[in-house]
Amino acid sequence: MTEYLDILMFGALMVAILSGFPVSFSIAGVAVAFAYLGWMNGVMDVSLLGALGQRAYGLIGNQVLIAIPVFVLMGAILEKSRIAEVLLDTMGRSFGQLRGGLGISVVLVGALLAASTGIVGATVVAMGLIALPTMLKAGYKPSLAAGIVCTAGTLGQIIPPSTLLIILADVMSNSYQQAQYEQGKFSVEALSVGQFFAAAIIPGLMLVVLYLLYILIRGYLRPQDMPAADLGLEKPTRAEVLGAILPPVLLIFSVLGAILGGIATPTEAASVGAIGALLMAGRKIGINPKMILLGAGALVLLGVLSGVFPVRLQRADASVLHWAIGAAYAVMSLIGAYAVFLALRAGIRGKIVQEALDSTLTMTAMIFATILAAGFFSLVFIGLGGEERVAHLLENLPGGPNGALLFVMIFVFVLGFFLDFVEISVIVLPLVAPSLILMGHDPIWLGILLAINLQTSFLTPPFGFSLFYLRAAAPKEVTTGQIYQGVIPFIGLQAIGVLLVWSLPFLATWLPSVIF
């Protein structure tokens, strides 16, 4: 029995998590229990646990994961500023007259919110409260309307900037380095968050296109499922459309452009995004829009000009021109700082900042506690021989590298029915990814395949988080069974997305190879 302790440990973890006990404590508790069992039965060297302190220190000082709380804060501020409502109203009036037009608008708004907030729960709840009643009033089939809202909300996991992609970048980079060490290379390469953000852009947009095509085709074949909406609303003017879409698009370009252009690290770009989100929130809660635009313009101009014409006034050979440029930069800084101050003061008075900080703290604590507990779990699992068992299993599967990858993808998909993406990412993937990379799979391509697969875990019953979020926000006439039924076609579209990226690897590898 002792030779199967590693397998029993994984089974015990599943039971503990499904029991409803807090996840991080479940993972750590199972690790403690099996470390003791392994030591008592003489199959584990307990001195391995001496590495726990190093793992905790490494987590706290991890430069990649520091970006998570700042990106979460950016999304939380945008969520509290009710930007989703304006987007949904504008897009709904733009496309509502088409068959499936409201569905199209929900998917497009989901993509915009994904690229600006990246928070699945906030997006699903916002669209469940605003768009779902409108779709039902227009005569949409309830299950289809629920499926569209759930699926559009999950785009925040694959379209950057995304918490999932940041965690995956760290996991895959560590696995890639481990694989290089095992190949005898001691001058190892690392992977960056920017590479994974770049790799996810085309697959993320591809999924959006798949959803839109499905809605258009189904609207043509079964118009009774999604009739054109005649809600008596005027089409928005061009100024309204630009006013709703332009701010989040500019925020997306400033954040992703800074990362992909090599101007800023993900953490620095996330800080830019948080300031941009604060300014957008200020515009929504009554600050003079001209002041917000002036401040945002000054900060953007300062960032661009200081990169093109850097000034170092401490140098002895600084000329009058240098001092003049420095003075202009100082004025831009003051204008930007004043706009940020106004937005921050209004945000504090309106309780937006406090609520955003509270939700950021809660989510960040959950993610980091899970990662820390998973480090403990993996140490014990390795000590019980689990890593060798996993590597041996993958190497001896029929079909070679592709057979091993297919097994892992199916295994991750099944785990997604029961576990959260954070748990799968930090517990399961570090055990299987090094072996898959050693078999010859490109780590970035592999990471994007797994990201799409993990995105699906938000839609798969019984524990898909998007389903829970929508159940809480949906009207009472929409049943849980209808929500489950509605996501089934979109799970099939996710599978098609995985197959497309698998068969056409350049979809994930081309953009990072060009940029980096």
Side-chain angles (χ1 to χ4, degrees), residues 462-510:
F463 296 111
F465 278 81
S466 282
L467 311 178
F468 289 156
Y469 295 139
L470 186 61
R471 177 63 279 164
K476 290 181 180 178
E477 61 264 28
V478 178
T479 66
T480 302
Q482 287 173 327
I483 295 174
Y484 285 2
Q485 180 187 348
V487 296
I488 291 172
F490 293 97
I491 293 172
L493 292 175
Q494 294 284 122
I496 292 172
V498 169
L499 289 174
L500 285 172
V501 175
W502 189 322
S503 56
L504 303 171
F506 68 86
L507 291 173
T509 58
W510 174 75

Side-chain angles (χ1 to χ4, degrees), residues 17-41:
I17 290 175
L18 294 178
S19 70
F21 200 67
V23 170
S24 53
F25 297 131
S26 298
I27 299 169
V30 169
V32 169
F34 278 82
Y36 181 75
L37 282 174
W39 174 59
M40 288 292 291
N41 287 283

Side-chain angles (χ1 to χ4, degrees), residues 162-249:
S162 144
T163 304
L164 169 61
L165 290 174
I166 296 171
I167 295 173
L168 266 181
D170 184 60
V171 170
M172 297 305 295
S173 183
N174 291 337
S175 299
Y176 185 42
Q177 292 176 22
Q178 183 180 334
Q180 290 174 88
Y181 281 129
E182 291 185 24
Q183 289 171 331
K185 299 176 184 176
F186 295 100
S187 178
V188 296
E189 299 175 29
L191 303 172
S192 70
V193 174
Q195 287 173 286
F196 281 86
F197 279 6
I201 289 174
I202 294 176
L205 295 176
M206 177 195 70
L207 286 175
V208 173
V209 171
L210 285 176
Y211 301 158
L212 293 176
L213 286 174
Y214 172 75
I215 292 170
L216 287 169
I217 292 170
R218 182 157 176 176
Y220 178 77
L221 296 177
R222 294 179 60 85
Q224 70 274 19
D225 287 352
M226 46 175 76
D230 185 15
L231 304 176
L233 300 174
E234 292 183 6
K235 289 197 73 170
T237 63
R238 185 175 298 177
E240 285 180 304
V241 174
L242 287 176
I245 294 176
L246 205 55
V249 168

Side-chain angles (χ1 to χ4, degrees), residues 44-210:
M44 177 179 167
D45 182 2
V46 79
S47 64
L48 262 178
L49 301 184
L52 272 177
Q54 294 174 330
R55 291 207 169 195
Y57 180 78
L59 173 64
I60 294 168
N62 191 312
Q63 295 298 313
V64 173
L65 298 180
I66 287 174
I68 289 177
V70 195
F71 273 125
V72 172
L73 177 62
M74 180 183 89
I77 292 172
L78 287 177
E79 175 207 344
K80 305 301 178 186
S81 65
R82 309 172 78 85
I83 187 175
E85 293 183 18
V86 178
L87 273 172
L88 280 166
D89 174 66
T90 307
M91 300 295 271
R93 287 190 287 139
S94 299
F95 294 99
Q97 291 79 9
L98 302 173
R99 283 183 197 165
L102 289 176
I104 291 169
S105 66
V106 167
V107 171
L108 292 176
V109 169
L112 277 172
L113 293 176
S116 51
T117 69
I119 300 179
V120 170
T123 306
V124 172
V125 169
M127 293 197 293
L129 290 171
I130 305 161
L132 188 56
T134 306
M135 295 167 83
L136 296 175
K137 184 180 176 184
Y140 274 58
K141 187 176 180 180
S143 60
L144 177 60
I148 291 172
V149 169
C150 276
T151 307
T154 64
L155 286 168
Q157 290 303 302
I158 188 63
I159 295 179
S162 144
T163 304
L164 169 61
L165 290 174
I166 296 171
I167 295 173
L168 266 181
D170 184 60
V171 170
M172 297 305 295
S173 183
N174 291 337
S175 299
Y176 185 42
Q177 292 176 22
Q178 183 180 334
Q180 290 174 88
Y181 281 129
E182 291 185 24
Q183 289 171 331
K185 299 176 184 176
F186 295 100
S187 178
V188 296
E189 299 175 29
L191 303 172
S192 70
V193 174
Q195 287 173 286
F196 281 86
F197 279 6
I201 289 174
I202 294 176
L205 295 176
M206 177 195 70
L207 286 175
V208 173
V209 171
L210 285 176

